[in-house]
Amino acid sequence: MMAKKIAFIVLGFLVGIAFDMVPHAVEVVAKSNVCRESCSNSLKIVSVVIYAILPIAWAGLLGIVIGKPRAQRILFISALFSLLIMAVLTWFLYKQQHP
């Protein structure tokens, strides 16, 4: 049972990392670029915090909700929320690069 829970935590961490790749995917698909080193310090801090929290949150989420009655709904809403966060971050990174 514990090995299964650890496997879901690792899977959640990987899902969080996949959501962290959204800005890069937008860059590739849109053939555009977002700011990296040229961002303001506050935007750099916010993006690093989001990049760090998302995998940890998904690891905890999968570790907690798997096996619960409404796990599918919770995961779906969490995925939409994660996509929204990353879309907003990507938009801010793009607007910083292209004022």
Side-chain angles (χ1 to χ4, degrees):
M1 183 67 173
M2 188 62 148
K4 185 177 179 182
K5 190 170 202 109
I6 290 172
F8 278 115
I9 289 171
V10 170
L11 179 65
F13 189 75
L14 294 174
V15 168
I17 290 173
F19 279 113
D20 280 348
M21 298 302 294
V22 168
H24 179 69
V26 169
E27 278 184 305
V28 170
V29 171
K31 295 185 183 5
S32 181
N33 55 355
V34 296
C35 69
R36 302 260 188 255
E37 290 81 22
S38 62
C39 293
S40 65
N41 284 336
S42 59
L43 189 55
K44 284 181 190 177
I45 291 169
V46 168
S47 63
V48 166
V49 167
I50 290 173
Y51 287 140
I53 288 177
L54 213 54
I56 295 168
W58 270 95
L61 183 70
L62 275 183
I64 292 170
V65 303
I66 292 302
K68 303 283 190 224
R70 299 195 176 198
Q72 188 175 8
R73 180 178 293 169
I74 293 168
L75 293 176
F76 179 73
I77 291 170
S78 299
L80 289 178
F81 184 69
S82 296
L83 282 174
L84 177 67
I85 288 172
M86 294 311 294
V88 169
L89 177 63
T90 303
W91 184 78
F92 276 114
L93 292 173
Y94 178 81
K95 290 307 276 182
Q96 182 79 29
Q97 184 72 17
H98 306 281

